[in-house]
Amino acid sequence: MCLECKRYIKEGDSVSQFDSICEVQSDKASVTITSRYDGIIRKLHYNLDEIAYVGKPLVDIEIDASKGVSPEEDVVETPPMSHEEHTHQEIKGHKTLATPAVRRLAMENNIKLSEVVGTGKDNRILKEDILNYLAKQTGAILPPSPKGEIIPPLPKSETVPAAPKDKARKTPLPVSRPLVFSGKDKTEPITGFHKAMVKTMSAALKIPHFGYCDEIDLTQLVQLREDLKPLAQIRGVKLSFMPFFIKAASLGLLQYPILNASLDESCQNVTYKASHNIGVAMDTEQGLIVPNVKNVQVCSVFEIASELNRLQALGSAGQLGTNDLTGGTFTLSNIGTIGGTYTKPVILPPEVAIGALGKIQILPRFNGKGEVFKAQIMNVSWSADHRIIDGATMARFSNLWKSYLENPASMLLDLK
Ligand code: CAO
């Protein structure tokens, strides 16, 4: 487990119960560790960015004797799971599972944990359950604060769309003078989400990838999104192209369920997944992450947009939890937001297919009458597991997906 660059305390600081101590990042999620005690920080066992070991002391806290506890030093240990510390709270006779950070989030927003449905293991209440509960209450998409602090619910009139990504980061800084090299090599451990990428991509190497590319004319969709964007904005949601790409993929998967499947390790059985949990590759400060929109087959385009806003807000704040990051069944990667036309996406095992989207460009094309017009063109690149998916299936799926996007009104026929 790696201690990420955010630490909220230093030696000598006074802390109270539930005060943030630091943020840790594992290869699955990052989470804020809070103090279990009132007291004074006497020793920090790790420097920033060092690997902290599960079960080993993280900080020594001298406990305040006046609070009726032993004045000896006590330690806060690195939890076995970064996301789900095993803490209990008794509510109305039954145990509610939630981490101290989640309980603090609930407390600061005046939410009774007994009213929140936990979606974690054994019904544990996760941070996103609280955020979802708040969002439902207020109709707002809550942008998490940069430090992972708790933002009070907004009144209805103040609903806001998810925080836009830090655009500044995408723009390369102008280099005004020649780069100076220090002349020293630097070696650093691979940690956090990068570690997950090593694991997943090494496993993906075992899959024989089949590639298939095509060009999509998004002229109608670009116009449709322009029309719908202000309506979504009024409802507090930013509507990008992704929700349409995702919904069209789900409609396609209904016809070609083999693409929403997984193959067991010995390649003896294929499992067709009932849920379309569509992963979205996300470029974040912490690295590449792929949270997924759950059960797209039963979601409207608006619901997908709203969920994507939530995932993007949590993703850019480094606060996505295990539930959002696991259980994907099919993936789309919109690298076109950064640039490029065709790419060669790598399948995320145990999934069997992935699509990557290039940038939308205005290019001359011919219409049915042979006249040149300004078309909004995007390229798509699919990769599929050739052990169970043949090229013809991938091509037919791609044709269907393309037809929905080139004539977005046709999606209405198949929406439930
Ligand atoms: N071409 C051109 N413009 C595009 C586009 C495309 N393919 N896709 C989206 N855009 C536009 C959007 O419409 C939006 O413009 P407006 O502000 O005018 O509405 C702008 O780009 C920014 O979009 P966004 O990033 O806010 O939202 P999104 O839903 O389109 O994309 C996400 C979300 C998470 C896919 C994207 O932010 C991202 O991280 N992309 C990179 C994915 C990546 O790294 N893939 C590689 C994986 S393998 O290493």
Side-chain angles (χ1 to χ4, degrees), residues 223-239 302:
Q223 185 55 54
L224 178 69
R225 188 185 79 113
E226 269 316 300
D227 296 343
L228 297 179
K229 228 170 112 176
L231 295 178
Q233 183 80 43
I234 290 169
R235 291 157 75 175
V237 167
K238 182 179 177 227
L239 182 65
F302 179 79

Side-chain angles (χ1 to χ4, degrees), residues 384-402:
D385 185 337
H386 213 343
R387 292 172 300 183
I388 53 162
I389 292 159
D390 50 48
T393 305
M394 193 72 246
R396 288 191 185 103
F397 168 84
S398 181
N399 286 344
L400 181 57
W401 184 77
K402 173 176 163 139

